[in-house]
C-alpha cells in the first residue's frame, strides 16, 4: 500500500479501481486543490465510469437533507449497494459551517468499508464547485460505488451547477417554510425529479403537499412528473417510499435510452461550462496584464469606444477570433 507521500498516477488509479478508501481520499484532495495529478488520474479511470447512479439531494438549509441522506444510505446498504456521499459546501472549509453537523448525522456509516463520505468546499478552486464535484463523482464511480449521493447545502447558483451532473435530483422541503414555496415558484421546480416533504408530522405537511402539487401542475404535462413523498428522516418514516420513487426514476431514465441521452447532454454541458470558466479566467488575466487591452476597457468606460467593438478587438487579440467569428 502506498504511503502518504508515495502516491503516483499509476498507484492512485489502481487504488481507485480497487475501491481503496485512502486512494479515494487522496485523489479527491488533489481534485479540491486543483493539482495537475488529479486530472491525469481522472483521465486514467474515466473508462471505468458510467455505472453509478448519481442522486443529488438539495433544498433550503434546515430541512433535514443530511438526515435524509443518512437514511437513504442505510436503505442502499440493505440492498448491498456500495455507496459514496459527497456533501458540497460553497463556503470556506476552514469555518466548517453546516458540514460539522452533516458529518455527525452521517457518522453511523463511518465504519462501513462500503460507504465513502466526503465533505467538499471550493478551497478557492478556480474551476468552481461543479468541476470539482464532477471529478470527485467520477472517482467514486470508477471505484465501483453503485450509488453516489451529492448533497448540497442550498439551492443557489453554485449548488444548481453541482446538481447538473446528477441522474436523479431529490428536492427536500419543510412544512411551514414560506421560503420553500417561493423557491419552487422561482423556478426551482424545474430541478427536482422527486420531492420529499420532510418532517411529515408537522401540522402544515398536508397543506404544503397540496401547495407543491399546485405549483407542479403549472409545469409540462408530458414526460416524468415529480412524485411527492412525505417523510420523517429521523424516525425513518416514508424513506422506503422515497427510495422506491428514486428507483422508479432511474428505471424511467433507462427506458428507451433516456439515461444515456441525459448523461451525454450533462457531460457536454459540463465540458462547455468548464471550458467557459477557464477561457474567462484566461481572458481576464490577459487583459489585466496587457496595457493595450486595458486601454480598450478604459475607452469603453469613458464612452470613447462602444462595448461590442471592444469585445471584437479583445477576442481577436486574445483568442485570434476574427470579427466574423465573434458575431
Amino acid at each position: 500500500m502506498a504511503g502518504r507521500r508515495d502516491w503516483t498516477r499509476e498507484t492512485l488509479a489502481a487504488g481507485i479501481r480497487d475501491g481503496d478508501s485512502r486512494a479515494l481520499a487522496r485523489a479527491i484532495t488533489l481534485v479540491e486543490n486543483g493539482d495537475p495529478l488529479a486530472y491525469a488520474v481522472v483521465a486514467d479511470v474515466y473508462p471505468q465510469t458510467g455505472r453509478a447512479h448519481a442522486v443529488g439531494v438539495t433544498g433550503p438549509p434546515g430541512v433535514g437533507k443530511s438526515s435524509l441522506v443518512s437514511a437513504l444510505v442505510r436503505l442502499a446498504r440493505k440492498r448491498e449497494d456500495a455507496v459514496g456521499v459527497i456533501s458540497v459546501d460553497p463556503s470556506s472549509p476552514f469555518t466548517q459551517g453546516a458540514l460539522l453537523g452533516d458529518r455527525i448525522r452521517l457518522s453511523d456509516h463511518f465504519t462501513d468499508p462500503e460507504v465513502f463520505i466526503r465533505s467538499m468546499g471550493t478551497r478557492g478552486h478556480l474551476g468552481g464547485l461543479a468541476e470539482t464535484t464532477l471529478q470527485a463523482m467520477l472517482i467514486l464511480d470508477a471505484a465501483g460505488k453503485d450509488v453516489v449521493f451529492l448533497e448540497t447545502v442550498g439551492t443557489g447558483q453554485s449548488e444548481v451547477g453541482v446538481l447538473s451532473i446528477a441522474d436523479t435530483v431529490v428536492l427536500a422541503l419543510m412544512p411551514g417554510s414560506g421560503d420553500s414555496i417561493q423557491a419552487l415558484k422561482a423556478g426551482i421546480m424545474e430541478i427536482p425529479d422527486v420531492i420529499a416533504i420532510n418532517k411529515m408530522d408537522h401540522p402544515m405537511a398536508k397543506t404544503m403537499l397540496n401547495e407543491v402539487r399546485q405549483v407542479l401542475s403549472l409545469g409540462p404535462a408530458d414526460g416524468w412528473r415529480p412524485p411527492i413523498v412525505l417523510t420523517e428522516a429521523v424516525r425513518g418514516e416514508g424513506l422506503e417510499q422515497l427510495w422506491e420513487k428514486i428507483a422508479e426514476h432511474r428505471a424511467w431514465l433507462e427506458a428507451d435510452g433516456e439515461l444515456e441521452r441525459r448523461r451525454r447532454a450533462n457531460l457536454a454541458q459540463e465540458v462547455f461550462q468548464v471550458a467557459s470558466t477557464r477561457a474567462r479566467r484566461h481572458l481576464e488575466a490577459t487583459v489585466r496584464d496587457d496595457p493595450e487591452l486595458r486601454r480598450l476597457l478604459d475607452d469603453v468606460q469613458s464612452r470613447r469606444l462602444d462595448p461590442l467593438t471592444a469585445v471584437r478587438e479583445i477576442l481577436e487579440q486574445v483568442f485570434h477570433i476574427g470579427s466574423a467569428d465573434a458575431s
Side-chain angles (χ1 to χ4, degrees):
M1 182 62 63
R4 180 180 178 87
R5 300 182 183 276
D6 298 331
W7 290 112
T8 66
R9 176 174 178 171
E10 292 74 17
T11 58
L12 264 180
I16 289 170
R17 294 188 187 101
D18 291 340
D20 178 72
S21 59
R22 290 171 56 188
L24 297 179
R26 180 57 180 163
I28 293 177
T29 296
L30 293 174
V31 163
E32 287 185 294
N33 293 337
D35 193 297
L37 179 58
Y39 300 107
V41 171
V42 171
D44 288 344
V45 301
Y46 186 69
Q48 285 76 51
T49 64
R51 295 169 295 185
H53 184 192
V55 179
V57 181
T58 189
V63 299
K65 294 186 296 295
S66 294
S67 298
L68 279 173
V69 170
S70 181
L72 290 172
V73 170
R74 193 172 296 110
L75 289 174
R77 292 298 297 131
K78 283 184 179 179
R79 298 177 57 218
E80 298 186 352
D81 287 341
V83 180
V85 180
I86 302 174
S87 293
V88 179
D89 181 6
S91 65
S92 168
F94 302 108
T95 61
Q96 296 297 323
L99 293 185
L100 181 59
D102 293 348
R103 286 189 170 225
I104 290 173
R105 295 183 187 96
L106 290 164
S107 61
D108 291 346
H109 309 290
F110 282 172
T111 58
D112 188 338
E114 295 298 320
V115 178
F116 183 88
I117 300 170
R118 181 63 175 256
S119 298
M120 293 183 63
T122 56
R123 296 197 180 187
H125 194 286
L126 297 176
L129 277 174
E131 179 180 346
T132 55
T133 307
L134 172 62
Q135 291 184 81
M137 194 268 287
L138 291 173
I139 288 170
L140 294 180
D141 189 354
K145 300 303 181 186
D146 299 295
V147 185
V148 178
F149 292 100
L150 308 171
E151 179 196 354
T152 71
V153 172
T155 53
Q157 183 175 357
S158 296
E159 294 86 342
V160 170
V162 169
L163 295 172
S164 67
I165 63 176
D167 300 321
T168 301
V169 176
V170 178
L171 174 63
L173 300 174
M174 182 174 63
S177 171
D179 293 340
S180 299
I181 295 299
Q182 289 304 317
L184 282 170
K185 292 179 179 178
I188 302 299
M189 72 175 182
E190 299 176 2
I191 297 174
D193 301 299
V194 181
I195 296 175
I197 298 179
N198 199 27
K199 305 181 182 178
M200 60 186 293
D201 53 351
H202 191 285
M204 295 291 292
K206 293 291 181 65
T207 301
M208 184 175 203
L209 184 145
N210 292 329
E211 290 176 340
V212 173
R213 279 179 177 163
Q214 290 176 7
V215 174
L216 292 177
S217 69
L218 302 176
D222 56 342
W224 175 264
R225 300 297 298 272
I228 308 168
V229 182
L230 292 173
T231 63
E232 173 48 63
V234 175
R235 294 198 302 268
E237 297 178 19
L239 271 300
E240 291 279 0
Q241 185 183 3
L242 177 60
W243 182 260
E244 288 175 5
K245 296 304 179 184
I246 293 172
E248 286 177 15
H249 181 254
R250 171 65 182 258
W252 178 82
L253 285 175
E254 290 178 333
D256 300 323
E258 180 62 30
L259 178 62
E260 180 65 19
R261 286 193 292 270
R262 175 180 284 207
R263 285 182 171 178
R264 288 172 67 90
N266 287 349
L267 288 170
Q269 178 182 336
E270 288 304 312
V271 168
F272 287 120
Q273 179 177 326
V274 174
S276 298
T277 300
R278 295 189 180 186
R280 174 168 181 165
R281 187 165 73 241
H282 173 70
L283 182 64
E284 290 175 344
T286 303
V287 172
R288 183 177 61 248
D289 298 335
D290 189 314
E292 183 63 24
L293 294 178
R294 285 205 313 272
R295 181 190 61 76
L296 290 173
L297 289 182
D298 293 338
D299 288 346
V300 171
Q301 293 163 349
S302 302
R303 300 190 183 276
R304 294 190 296 269
L305 183 69
D306 69 280
L308 293 184
T309 298
V311 167
R312 284 195 293 269
E313 292 193 30
I314 290 175
L315 289 179
E316 185 170 356
Q317 293 190 46
V318 177
F319 296 117
H320 308 292
I321 299 176
S323 57
D325 299 319
S327 59

